[in-house]
Amino acid sequence: MTNAPLYDAAKERITALVSGADPQTPVPATPGWSVKDVVAHLAGGLRDFADRRFDGVESGEWGERQVRDRRDNSLADAFAEWDANLELARPLFDTPMGPVLVAEVIAHEHDLRSALGVPGERDGVEVRAALVKPLQQLDQRMRENDVPALRITLEHGDRVLGHGEPAGTLRTTSFELMRAIGGRRSADQIKALDWDGDPDVWIAALALFGRHRPEPFEE
């Protein structure tokens, strides 16, 4: 599947998932945000992608601004904006930004599923697609910062991040890797995965957004 159908399918699943839920239900994967806030972030994020507005991404202020600016809106407002902004962002799905949008929506789908106690598909093409861009970004950062190469063994094959021969191996699932590098696991949880080698060598490099979750998160 290409990026647009993957995104559209995730949007449909999220819509069905949260339509009957309490919009104020807390979402522990994104502390301080409710179900409504996560949908508002997805809507506002699409507009920022379309406008090429990425200030505050590294600090986390990017998403917080979107939620803060829409705090008084309803869940219906968030869905209406999401629909409108999706049309603005349509051309992006056929660009290098497409896999980023897929990674974003799949991560937040599972945030919402965890909050509402409705687990979804964790070993399908959607989760693998959500790893495409994050792994490219981690690979580039590791090369730029001379972090020793790491072999990652997933259920569908191996991937080496970094330059040269791997100095260690991490064995995990695509879902767990997505959650680990996306800030939904603590450093201790990541270190407790199946490693060959000292995980401290790579733990900092595996934080896609510059930080791991301070406290453990189970789902």
Side-chain angles (χ1 to χ4, degrees):
M1 296 179 73
T2 55
N3 296 313
L6 283 167
Y7 190 99
D8 290 344
K11 183 175 181 292
E12 289 180 9
R13 291 193 299 269
I14 290 172
T15 301
L17 176 69
V18 308
S19 290
D22 180 352
Q24 299 305 322
T25 301
V27 179
T30 53
W33 290 5
S34 66
V35 164
K36 176 179 74 70
D37 292 334
V38 172
V39 179
H41 162 62
L42 285 166
L46 265 187
R47 182 56 185 260
D48 281 355
F49 278 113
D51 292 343
R52 307 296 199 274
R53 182 180 180 184
F54 302 118
D55 53 292
V57 169
E58 293 296 330
S59 67
E61 175 59 20
W62 185 72
E64 291 295 340
R65 170 180 49 77
Q66 295 151 8
V67 170
R68 185 172 58 247
D69 290 350
R70 295 161 175 81
R71 190 71 76 181
D72 295 334
N73 292 358
S74 68
L75 182 59
D77 292 332
F79 276 121
E81 184 185 9
W82 199 3
D83 288 339
N85 290 343
L86 181 55
E87 294 313 306
L88 290 176
R90 280 285 172 201
L92 297 178
F93 287 108
D94 293 324
T95 74
M97 196 65 70
V100 179
L101 297 176
V102 170
E104 175 88 350
V105 75
I106 296 298
H108 287 306
E109 176 188 353
H110 286 282
D111 294 341
L112 291 164
R113 288 187 175 282
S114 178
L116 297 173
V118 186
E121 180 66 51
R122 296 185 174 186
D123 58 1
V125 65
E126 298 85 1
V127 171
R128 295 198 296 274
L131 281 172
V132 169
K133 190 62 174 183
L135 290 182
Q136 290 174 351
Q137 292 173 309
L138 291 182
D139 178 62
Q140 180 179 350
R141 290 183 192 176
M142 288 173 64
R143 291 170 183 269
E144 290 173 350
N145 293 287
D146 293 323
V147 176
L150 174 67
R151 185 188 309 279
I152 299 180
T153 299
L154 302 173
E155 65 273 20
H156 54 84
D158 290 6
R159 170 72 184 265
V160 174
L161 301 183
H163 177 71
E165 285 296 315
T169 300
L170 168 60
R171 286 176 289 272
T172 187
T173 65
S174 295
F175 178 79
E176 195 60 30
L177 181 63
M178 178 184 75
R179 303 306 266 167
I181 66 178
R184 274 69 170 184
R185 298 289 184 268
S186 69
D188 285 343
Q189 284 180 296
I190 299 171
K191 291 178 186 179
L193 296 174
D194 186 3
W195 289 87
D196 286 340
D198 181 359
D200 281 322
V201 173
W202 296 280
I203 196 70
L206 292 179
L208 184 62
F209 301 110
R211 60 199 177 281
H212 296 298
R213 190 179 176 91
E215 302 294 334
F217 177 61
E218 303 287 348
E219 59 186 325

